[in-house]
Amino acid sequence: MGAQEERSGDRQRFDVADAAPLLLDARGVVTSWTRGAERLLGRPASEVVGTGVAGLLVPTDAARVPELAQRCLHDDGWAGLLTARRGDGGQVPVMARVTPAVEPGGADRWLVLLSDLRGAPGWDMSRTVLETMLTRSPVGIAVVDTELRFVWSNPALTRFGGGPPGQRLGRRLAEVQPGVDVDGIEAQMRRVLATGEPVIGYEHVGRLRSAPHRETAHVLSFTRLEDERGCPTGVYYTVVDVTERHRARQRLALLDRAGERIGRTLDIEGTAQELSDVAVPDFADLVTVDLLEWVLRGAEPVPVPPGEPAAPVLRRAGQRSVDPDGAPGGAAPGSGDDGDGDGVSGDGCGDVVEAASVEVGTEVGYLDGSPPLHTLASGRAWRRERLDPAATEWASRAPGGHAATFRELGLHSAMVVPIRARGVTLGVTTFFRRGRQDPFDAGDLHLAGDLVSRAAVCVDNARRYTRERNAALALQRSLLPRRLPEQDAVEVTACYRPADELTGLGGDWYDLIPLSGARVALVVGEVPGHGIDASAAMGRLRTAVRTLAALDLPPDEVLAHLDDLVGTAAQQEGVRPDPAGDSYGDSMRAVGSGCVYVVYDPVDGRCAMAAAGHPAPAVVRPDGGVGFVELPQGPPLGAGGPPFESVELTLAAGSTLVLHTDGLLADGEGEDGGAGRDRLRAALERTTGSFDSRCGAVIDALIPAHPHDDVALLMARTRLLGADQVADWELASDPAIVAVARKAAARQLTAWDLEELAFTTELVVSELVTNAMRHAAGPIRLRLIRDRALICEVSDGGATAPHLRHPRTTDEGGRGLLLVSQFTQRWGTRFSPEGKVIWAEQSLSGPPD
C-alpha cells in the first residue's frame, strides 16, 4: 500500500517506510512511541506514553475518536486525514492508517501509521482504489496511444457510442464513431501530443451513432501521458455529456434573437413573418402564423352573439420553411439522409410537396375539429410528438384536388400555440419538424410559448398602431383633397410628403378652389409641427380658407380674415406655449402658420396673390425659364404685425405657378433661402417628362428620402379662355336697354349652339340688368363666359350686395333673385375696386355630381 508523487528536481515519496508508527491499546492509550513519531510531532516518549491518543489531536478531531474507534472495530481498521498537535503548539496534517495488531496473550492492540502530509498533494491511493474510481466514474474516460488508437476506456464511455471497451481496443475514433467531427477531435489530440499543454473544455456538437435522431453536445478535455523520461506515450481524455446545457444555451440564444428581431416594425404581417424567421431552422423546420382577419385590419375583436356559432376567418400572415421554395419537403441541412448514402430520407422527406405552401395574405380554411381551430377556440396549446404518417393535412384546400399526408409532407412532430395578448386570442402559430429532428418535447412547447408570447405583444401593438394609423390617415384624407376639382383655368398636379413616415400625418396642405367667373384659387399652407395635432390644426385652417374663398374676397383680405380667426381662437381658448416651446390645442398649433393664396383668372391671365409667413411662388415661363414672384411677406397667421399686401401680375398661357411649403427649400443643413431657391430653380429647369410626373420628380431631386419637414408642392400650368368663349357688352342706364341685352344674349347663345339655355339666360339677364339699373350707379356691363358652365355676369359701380327675398303672394316685386336662384346652379356677388359683380352659372354638363 503506498502512493508516490515525482517532480523534476524534487522527489517526495510516501510509503510505509516513511510513516511514523505507534501502538494503542484497546482503550486508545499510547503504549509504544517511536523516534519517527517523536520527530513528526515533537513530543518525547515520556510525555506521550500512557496518555490517550485524543490528546495528540486538535479538538475537532479529538471529538471524533470514539466514532473512529467504533469504525475500526467494525471494519478492522480505518484510514483517513487528521490534524495532530505538535509539542511546540503547531499543527501538522497527517494521513492516519489504523490496523489491528494481535500480541501474544490475546490483548487487542492497534497499529497506527502517521504520514506527514505537509507539502503533499493529498491522499495516496492504491491501484484498486484508482481502478474503482475510473471504472465507476460517470464521466467517459479513454486513453489513446501516439497513433490515436484506443488502448483503454472505461465503461461510461459506452454511453457515448462506439461499443464496449473491448471493441474499441486498437481502433481509431473514426472507426468507432463515424459521422462525428473526427478531424477536429484528433487535431486537438495531436496538438496535446506535440505541445504537452492540456486542452480543457473542447465542445463538440453532432449526432452520434448511438443517437442518430438526436443532436448531442459533449465537452472533452485532453491531457498528454508521459513515461519516466518525459516522452509522450499517449493522450488521456474525458467526455462529459452537456446536451441539456447546450439546449438551454440554444434556447436562451433563440429568445435573445427573438427579442432583437421580433417587433422591429409596427407592421402586423412583418411581425408575424419575423416570428417565423426566428424559429426556422434552429427550432423548427416549418412555421406558419395565422391571424384572425380583424387583427390584420387593425380592428377590435368582434363580439359573437350568445348561441351563435363562431366562424373565425384566419389568414396566413407569415410562414417559413427550411426549403427555400417554402414547402416543408425540401431537404434540410443535416437532416435529409437516412444513412444509406443516397441523400434521401426513407420516409419521403426529400420530395418537395407544395401543398403546405399557402400564400401570405390568403384565407386558410382548417377542417372542423383540427388542432388549429381547437387551439383558437380554447386558447390552450397542443403538441404531438409523433404525427400519424397517414393523416391528412389540416388545411381543407390542397392543390391537385387531394389532401397531402404528413408522410408526403415529410412532417413527424407538431405543436400549435395560441397567439394571445391582453387576454384575447389573435391567431395561432404552428410548428413542424421533419427528417431527423427530435420530436417536440415539453421543454420545446414551453419555449414555443415564450416565443409566441413575445411575438403576440408585438402583433397586438402593431394591430393597435394600425388601428390608430388608419384612423389618422382617414383624418388626413378627409382634410386633404382626394382629387382636385376639374376646371379649365389651370392644369394641376400636386404632391404631399410628410416627415412622420409612421403616421403619414403632417401640417402642410394644398388646395384648389373653383371661384366665380371661371377663376380658381390656389392655396398652399403649413402648420408648425408634425403628427395628428398639426394635422387637426391644418384641417381647421383649410376649412376656414375654403369658407373665406367662397366670399370671393381678394387674397390680402382672405389672409387678413384668416389671421383674425387664428388669433381670436387662440386667445379665446387661453392657450399658451409652454417653456419648452411645445404648444397645446389646435388653435395654438395654428398660431405661426404660413399660407400663400393665389387667384388666377383665365379670361385675361391676371393673377393676384398674397402670403402670410410663406415662401413666394416660383413661375416657370413657357420657354422654360424660372423666376420667383416678388411677393411682400406678411407675418405668420396669428402672430400680429403689418397688414398683408397683394400683388398682381399677368401670366402667359402655358406658364406654371409653383407653390410650395418651406420644407422643399430646406436640406436639413441650415442653408439659407437663397441657396434653397437656387436648388429649386435648377430642379425646375431640368425636370422633364409628363406634367403629372414633375411634382414627384422635383421633390425627389430636392429632399432626402426621410425629410426633416413636411413638404407640399402644387404646380399649376395656366390656360387662357379663347376669344370665342367670352362675350361682353357695355349697357346704358336705360330701362329700354333690358330688352336689347336679352336679345344680345340670345344671339350669342345661338352662336354657341346653346339655344336650349336661351329662356333661362334671358330671364337671368333681364333680372340682373334690371336690378343694376334700379339699385346701383355707374356703368353697367354684361358678360357671358362659356366654360364648363355658362356664366352670366352683370357688373355695376354699386357697393351694396343684393339680398335674396322671399316675397309674399300679394307683393308686386322682389322675385328677381329668387327666380335666378331657382333656375341656375349657383349665383353670388363679388366685389372689385370698381364696384361689384353679380353672377349666375348654368351647368353645361348636366346636374352637378
Side-chain angles (χ1 to χ4, degrees):
M1 175 177 175
Q4 65 181 18
E5 178 187 66
E6 296 185 0
R7 298 176 181 174
S8 58
D10 180 20
R11 294 189 179 184
Q12 295 184 2
R13 187 181 300 275
F14 298 92
D15 54 23
V16 175
D18 295 328
L22 62 147
L23 287 176
L24 306 178
D25 63 12
R27 296 172 301 163
V29 176
V30 178
T31 60
S32 175
W33 190 254
T34 63
R35 291 185 179 275
E38 183 177 341
R39 288 193 302 271
L40 177 61
L41 299 182
R43 297 173 181 269
S46 59
E47 179 183 336
V48 178
V49 174
T51 64
V53 70
L56 302 177
L57 304 175
V58 297
T60 55
D61 285 345
R64 299 173 56 200
V65 169
E67 175 196 353
L68 297 179
Q70 291 298 321
R71 294 178 63 179
C72 289
L73 291 173
H74 184 270
D75 298 333
D76 291 335
W78 176 83
L81 301 178
L82 295 172
T83 302
R85 297 167 53 196
R86 288 180 52 83
D88 57 6
Q91 299 179 358
V92 56
V94 296
M95 166 64 71
R97 296 175 181 81
V98 183
T99 59
V102 181
E103 296 183 349
D108 290 334
R109 295 288 185 270
W110 298 94
L111 173 64
V112 180
L113 299 176
L114 301 178
S115 299
D116 189 356
L117 292 185
R118 287 176 296 184
W123 185 17
D124 58 326
M125 292 175 289
S126 66
R127 178 184 178 89
T128 303
V129 174
L130 290 171
E131 289 179 352
T132 301
M133 290 174 55
L134 293 174
T135 55
R136 296 184 181 179
S137 171
V139 177
I141 304 174
V143 177
V144 297
D145 60 15
T146 54
E147 297 298 325
L148 307 185
R149 299 184 180 277
F150 285 97
V151 297
W152 181 87
S153 61
N154 70 340
L157 197 64
T158 305
R159 298 197 314 270
F160 303 97
Q167 294 182 6
R168 293 175 178 269
L169 292 178
R171 304 174 71 185
R172 293 180 57 170
L173 183 62
E175 300 176 65
V176 299
Q177 282 284 28
V180 302
D181 182 17
V182 175
D183 294 339
I185 295 175
E186 291 191 346
Q188 299 298 322
M189 295 181 182
R190 292 191 178 92
R191 173 186 169 189
V192 170
L193 284 173
T195 64
E197 297 180 359
V199 173
I200 308 297
Y202 176 77
E203 187 167 333
H204 170 268
V205 179
R207 298 177 184 270
L208 304 179
R209 171 176 285 183
S210 58
H213 299 286
R214 180 174 181 263
E215 187 178 69
T216 56
H218 303 94
V219 170
L220 297 87
S221 297
F222 306 91
T223 304
R224 188 172 75 174
L225 299 177
E226 301 174 351
D227 58 16
E228 294 80 359
R229 299 184 301 275
C231 297
T233 60
V235 175
Y236 161 87
Y237 74 89
T238 60
V239 184
V240 179
D241 190 338
V242 293
T243 301
E244 292 306 318
R245 187 177 71 186
H246 173 71
R247 285 188 171 185
R249 191 167 61 240
Q250 283 185 319
R251 289 171 178 172
L252 288 176
L254 183 61
L255 291 176
D256 287 342
R257 288 199 302 274
E260 293 175 358
R261 296 171 55 184
I262 297 178
R264 293 178 295 181
T265 65
L266 288 173
D267 178 74
I268 298 176
E269 290 187 355
T271 303
Q273 187 60 47
E274 288 166 352
L275 171 60
S276 304
D277 294 341
V278 165
V280 177
D282 294 336
F283 181 67
D285 294 312
L286 171 65
V287 175
T288 62
V289 181
D290 302 320
L291 297 176
L292 290 166
E293 191 173 32
W294 59 264
V295 176
L296 291 170
R297 296 198 312 267
E300 291 294 326
V302 179
V304 179
E308 293 188 11
V313 178
L314 286 169
R315 291 191 179 275
R316 181 62 46 84
Q319 63 183 2
R320 180 68 184 272
S321 170
V322 292
D323 181 65
D325 295 328
S335 62
D337 194 353
D338 58 6
D340 58 5
D342 61 2
V344 179
S345 59
D347 59 357
C349 296
D351 301 328
V352 177
V353 181
E354 297 180 355
S357 179
V358 177
E359 185 177 353
V360 172
T362 59
E363 182 179 342
V364 183
Y366 287 106
L367 299 175
D368 292 338
S370 62
L373 291 185
H374 175 75
T375 298
L376 186 69
S378 65
R380 294 191 298 270
W382 177 93
R383 175 174 64 93
R384 184 75 75 230
E385 289 189 8
R386 293 292 180 185
L387 296 170
D388 180 5
T392 59
E393 187 188 19
W394 291 330
S396 60
R397 292 181 298 275
H402 74 283
T405 65
F406 287 123
R407 179 181 296 278
E408 292 174 325
L409 296 172
L411 307 173
H412 66 77
S413 187
M415 296 186 300
V416 183
V417 180
I419 304 174
R420 289 181 58 83
R422 299 176 176 91
V424 178
T425 301
L426 309 176
V428 292
T429 302
T430 307
F431 301 85
F432 290 101
R433 280 183 179 172
R434 60 171 295 277
R436 297 201 170 199
Q437 279 268 32
D438 298 338
F440 289 116
D441 56 22
D444 292 325
L445 183 61
H446 181 73
L447 176 59
D450 288 343
L451 279 176
V452 175
S453 295
R454 295 190 180 199
V457 174
C458 298
V459 167
D460 195 52
N461 288 340
R463 177 192 66 83
R464 292 155 69 93
Y465 163 75
T466 300
R467 180 192 62 191
E468 299 299 328
R469 185 173 187 269
N470 289 343
L473 290 179
L475 170 64
Q476 183 81 352
R477 285 192 294 267
S478 68
L479 297 178
L480 287 175
R482 294 190 179 183
R483 60 183 180 87
L484 296 174
E486 295 181 359
Q487 39 72 46
D488 291 333
V490 290
E491 180 183 3
V492 291
T493 179
C495 189
Y496 171 72
R497 188 167 296 177
D500 189 345
E501 293 184 346
L502 289 179
T503 63
L505 299 176
D508 292 10
W509 90 94
Y510 60 85
D511 209 347
L512 184 147
I513 308 169
L515 302 177
S516 64
R519 299 169 306 130
V520 292
L522 305 170
V523 190
V524 168
E526 58 183 321
V527 172
H530 314 288
I532 194 167
D533 290 336
S535 184
M538 174 268 287
R540 295 180 64 174
L541 280 182
R542 178 172 178 261
T543 302
V545 169
R546 294 184 70 89
T547 302
L548 293 171
L551 300 178
D552 255 332
L553 299 175
D556 56 336
E557 293 187 29
V558 169
L559 294 184
H561 284 291
L562 193 62
D563 179 70
D564 290 340
L565 287 173
V566 171
T568 302
Q571 184 178 8
Q572 289 176 348
E573 293 181 9
V575 209
R576 294 290 184 272
D578 69 0
D582 296 330
S583 55
Y584 305 94
D586 294 344
S587 297
M588 197 65 237
R589 286 278 185 181
V591 173
S593 300
C595 182
V596 60
Y597 187 87
V598 180
V599 175
Y600 174 70
D601 189 344
V603 174
D604 52 13
R606 286 192 300 175
C607 182
M609 63 184 70
H614 198 86
V619 177
V620 182
R621 296 184 293 273
D623 61 2
V626 179
F628 291 88
V629 180
E630 295 299 328
L631 180 62
Q633 280 295 313
L637 298 176
F644 300 99
E645 298 181 46
S646 290
V647 296
E648 287 193 7
L649 63 155
T650 301
L651 298 176
S655 301
T656 301
L657 273 168
V658 181
L659 285 68
H660 59 87
T661 55
D662 58 7
L664 188 67
L665 302 182
D667 64 351
E669 299 178 359
E671 68 176 8
D672 57 19
R677 281 189 169 189
D678 293 340
R679 294 172 56 243
L680 176 58
R681 177 184 286 109
L684 291 172
E685 288 176 344
R686 64 173 176 264
T687 300
T688 58
S690 66
F691 186 71
D692 289 338
S693 66
R694 292 186 181 182
C695 247
V698 170
I699 287 184
D700 291 338
L702 294 181
I703 67 172
H706 305 286
H708 303 283
D709 193 8
D710 304 328
V711 177
L713 176 62
L714 177 67
M715 300 177 68
R717 186 157 58 189
T718 61
R719 296 169 176 159
L720 286 177
L721 298 181
D724 58 343
Q725 293 180 269
V726 180
D728 61 348
W729 298 270
E730 187 171 346
L731 305 177
S733 183
D734 182 357
I737 205 67
V738 175
V740 176
R742 287 200 304 266
K743 292 179 181 179
R747 287 194 299 271
Q748 187 62 50
L749 293 183
T750 301
W752 285 341
D753 293 328
L754 297 176
E755 291 90 347
E756 68 275 9
L757 300 179
F759 175 78
T760 302
T761 304
E762 289 184 31
L763 173 64
V764 170
V765 169
S766 177
E767 295 298 335
L768 295 183
V769 172
T770 300
N771 279 343
M773 286 190 297
R774 286 182 179 178
H775 305 291
I780 301 174
R781 296 189 65 85
L782 170 64
R783 184 168 71 167
L784 295 180
I785 301 174
R786 180 173 60 86
D787 189 32
R788 291 178 177 267
L790 176 63
I791 305 168
C792 177
E793 296 181 343
V794 175
S795 59
D796 58 53
T800 303
H803 297 284
L804 182 66
R805 294 175 54 192
H806 295 277
R808 292 169 297 181
T809 56
T810 58
D811 291 343
E812 296 182 359
R815 295 179 176 82
L817 289 181
L818 179 61
L819 292 174
V820 171
S821 66
Q822 295 296 316
F823 282 93
T824 60
Q825 271 68 50
R826 62 182 189 136
W827 72 280
T829 304
R830 69 173 182 271
F831 293 90
S832 65
E834 296 80 16
K836 68 176 183 295
V837 177
I838 304 177
W839 55 270
E841 288 186 6
Q842 301 175 72
S843 174
L844 297 182
S845 57
D849 295 334

